[in-house]
Structure formats: C-alpha cells, structure tokens
Amino acid sequence: LCLGASLPSPSAVEFTMSGWSGYNSRFNGLYEVSDKMNDDFAVYTHMPTEGVGAGADWCRLWYHKGCWRIGHMHWTDHDKERCCAYTASGPVPAHSLRNQVWFDFNGEGSNRDHGIPKNNFVEKPHSRSIVVTPAIVDAEIR
C-alpha cells in the first residue's frame, strides 16, 4: 500500500453482471473489488471471457462524476471520463445498481469502441435488462 492511498470500503463486494448482448456481451460476468479507489468508490476488475479483449486483464468498472463506467484500466487514472459503456447513477455502490439504463459507445472494434459520455453513446436493446447480483446480500454488509 502506498503512503496516502486508501483501501476500498468494506461495503464494496464482488458481484456478477448479466444481460449484456452483442458486441458488449464481454461485460457479462464477475466483477471483483480491486485495491484501487476512484471518487470514494472501489474500482472493480473484470476479465472478459468472450469478444474483443477476452482473456486479458484490461477491463475495469469505476465511478466518476455521477456515472459508473466500464472500460480500460488505464482510463481509471489517466482519462476517467472515457469509457465503453456507462450508467448515470449518483453515488451508490456498484453492487447496489438496480433498474439502471446503460449506454454503449456507438462503435465496435479494438480502439473504436470508446468515448466520452454523452457523445456517440446509445441505448441498445439490452440497456434496460442488465442485472447486477451481489455475491452476498446487502443485509450481510451492514
């Protein structure tokens, strides 16, 4: 641990996300708490098992300026607004996201699938059916 760094909140828990389809089905699966924080929330790691970037440790979920964002690990430190997909949520833990509308960048392919919200982001057919399932129930966190 670096001097001045903060640890993720004990209320941050791993979870699975499901419901993504098409190009961004790569965002389905397990999200684990990392040792990083951003805007007072844990940064999560996700290892895609299909599509662009499958099997590589590049994907992160982080909170910045009122949105949970999914994208490349480099952006969590150097370009926090850039992402592949996002949802505007207000300051709630990621495992608590319910009934959110997610927006995907309107482009596909390596290095052609990201941008800064709200430019070129669209609601897709799966956007309202993405489900976040905590590894433990909220009552166990308290």
Side-chain angles (χ1 to χ4, degrees):
L1 184 65
C2 297
L3 188 60
S6 53
L7 293 172
S9 164
S11 66
V13 298
E14 69 182 34
F15 59 89
T16 58
M17 199 178 303
S18 59
W20 294 93
S21 62
Y23 181 76
N24 280 338
S25 62
R26 60 196 175 142
F27 297 147
N28 289 319
L30 181 65
Y31 286 76
E32 297 177 292
V33 179
S34 76
D35 61 352
K36 296 182 72 173
M37 297 281 292
N38 202 359
D39 289 10
D40 297 325
F41 288 97
V43 172
Y44 292 82
T45 64
H46 170 65
M47 182 77 74
T49 58
E50 62 179 276
V52 173
D57 183 21
W58 64 272
C59 188
R60 300 293 183 269
L61 172 78
W62 69 97
Y63 185 80
H64 182 64
K65 290 189 175 180
C67 297
W68 280 100
R69 302 158 192 267
I70 299 175
H72 195 275
M73 61 192 219
H74 180 76
W75 303 332
T76 65
D77 290 324
H78 304 288
D79 198 357
K80 295 178 182 184
E81 290 191 47
R82 181 168 301 283
C83 58
C84 299
Y86 78 95
T87 186
S89 68
V92 299
H95 72 272
S96 298
L97 294 171
R98 304 285 188 275
N99 303 315
Q100 296 293 128
V101 176
W102 286 84
F103 296 90
D104 297 35
F105 186 76
N106 194 24
E108 296 181 359
S110 182
N111 209 27
R112 294 187 313 266
D113 57 1
H114 56 84
I116 306 288
K118 304 182 161 109
N119 300 325
N120 292 318
F121 282 80
V122 295
E123 185 176 336
K124 300 250 177 122
H126 63 251
S127 295
R128 295 179 183 268
S129 60
I130 295 165
V131 177
V132 172
T133 307
I136 59 175
V137 294
D138 291 343
E140 293 177 38
I141 298 168
R142 293 184 192 140

